[in-house]
Amino acid sequence: MLNIIQIPVLTDNYIYLLHDPVTGETAVVDPALGQPVLDVLNEKGWRLTYILNTHHHWDHVGGNLELKQKTGCKIIGAQSDRDRIPGIDIGVSEDDVIALGGHPARVISTPGHTSGHIVYHFAEDGALFCGDTLFVMGCGRLFEGAPEQMWNSLQKLKAMPPSTRIYCTHEYTQTNGRFALSVEPDNSQLQQKMLEVQRLRAENKPTVPSTIEQELATNPFFREDSLALQKTINRVNCLPVEVFAEVRRLKDTFN
Ligand code: ZN
Ligand code: FE
């Protein structure tokens, strides 16, 4: 089994430490900071093998250079973003397979939030590290992509096995859920999910990971097919990508 540790940092970021107990190899996904990672490595007695970056934003690569300098780890990121990922050693692109000890992960290109965004799918472990592409009941803002690009990226994630666990980089779930309810108020699974989310957050517990199955039932960016949603946003009989674009536009100004 891949050992996965979730480290909350900054206001709403999660850093993930992955450890293969058989080989001792250890990776960190999107280290916003170095020190909190070093602390856990120390406590566990683990040595860092890799940094896996999903994209170049500072809250995902901020700890790269410190961790590389202090541990000698190798940094993996999108080949197309070599110029923007500090300290990158290994550039990867769509369908490349990397391995953490005995655990393979496929690289999937998901442009939209940024042009070079990638995600790491550990299919055998049923785990997806999706950075800022997919959030619990939400998706990343379109900083460097058109709606069509992000929609295509999300289709790749939507098609994964329903039991796949979604490890995203931010705890945006409560706000995302309020927005989701605004566009699909009668979705009973969504209502249920929000009660659970509110309970978890009241206890200061993470709402991440979620699963593809839960997202299919509750995430408005996965639910272009919902007639109720289409009606709320006045996009009945439109293309799925047009429904998606309107949901994204509405979310950008929701508060
Ligand atoms: Zn980002
Ligand atoms: Fe981010």
Side-chain angles (χ1 to χ4, degrees):
M1 264 300 271
L2 195 61
N3 207 327
I4 302 174
I5 293 182
Q6 186 174 38
I7 312 171
V9 296
L10 304 173
T11 327
D12 51 38
N13 272 68
Y14 291 122
I15 298 174
Y16 298 101
L17 257 187
L18 322 182
H19 178 72
D20 174 18
V22 177
T23 61
E25 288 199 353
T26 304
V28 63
V29 181
D30 284 353
L33 304 169
Q35 196 55 51
V37 178
L38 293 168
D39 290 346
V40 178
L41 289 169
N42 234 330
E43 180 194 311
K44 296 282 182 186
W46 294 347
R47 266 194 60 173
L48 193 61
T49 321
Y50 296 118
I51 292 173
L52 309 180
N53 288 133
T54 63
H55 64 296
H56 73 282
H57 285 157
W58 70 273
D59 61 313
H60 300 251
V61 302
N64 273 24
L65 296 181
E66 183 186 4
L67 288 170
K68 183 172 175 173
Q69 192 216 329
K70 293 190 174 160
T71 68
C73 68
K74 293 267 185 265
I75 300 179
I76 299 177
Q79 174 66 24
S80 63
D81 260 343
R82 282 200 87 99
D83 296 346
R84 302 198 287 185
I85 294 181
I88 187 169
D89 296 293
I90 303 166
V92 292
S93 41
E94 177 93 344
D95 280 335
D96 281 349
V97 175
I98 57 152
L100 182 70
H103 300 261
R106 193 162 68 91
V107 174
I108 300 164
S109 170
T110 58
H113 177 65
T114 66
S115 59
H117 199 297
I118 55 175
V119 302
Y120 299 89
H121 185 210
F122 290 80
E124 290 171 21
D125 296 279
L128 175 71
F129 295 89
C130 52
D132 289 357
T133 292
L134 177 66
F135 295 123
V136 181
M137 295 187 278
C139 77
R141 274 178 194 267
L142 306 183
F143 288 120
E144 300 179 356
E148 182 144 22
Q149 238 177 345
M150 184 58 133
W151 183 79
N152 278 315
S153 296
L154 289 173
Q155 298 317 297
K156 300 181 188 176
L157 310 191
K158 220 173 159 176
M160 288 183 176
S163 59
T164 308
R165 281 163 295 141
I166 305 301
Y167 293 91
C168 52
T169 304
H170 293 280
E171 179 62 62
Y172 289 159
T173 308
Q174 259 178 320
T175 314
N176 286 346
R178 281 199 294 113
F179 172 74
L181 277 172
S182 78
V183 291
E184 222 182 3
D186 298 324
N187 178 339
S188 62
Q189 271 175 286
L190 177 56
Q191 294 165 353
Q192 276 301 113
K193 170 105 179 172
M194 269 310 268
L195 291 177
E196 172 68 2
V197 163
Q198 272 148 4
R199 188 185 65 74
L200 287 167
R201 294 312 291 156
E203 296 170 22
N204 209 17
K205 288 183 181 157
T207 64
V208 182
S210 170
T211 61
I212 291 289
E213 184 174 27
Q214 289 177 40
E215 295 313 304
L216 289 170
T218 58
N219 190 326
F221 299 101
F222 267 9
R223 294 183 55 76
E224 310 91 334
D225 292 350
S226 158
L227 184 58
L229 179 143
Q230 293 169 8
K231 281 183 177 160
T232 317
I233 67 168
N234 289 314
R235 288 295 183 280
V236 180
N237 293 325
C238 292
L239 293 171
V241 66
E242 292 169 340
V243 179
F244 170 80
E246 178 62 4
V247 176
R248 188 58 259 178
R249 193 188 69 76
L250 290 167
K251 175 66 170 66
D252 285 341
T253 53
F254 180 82
N255 46 46

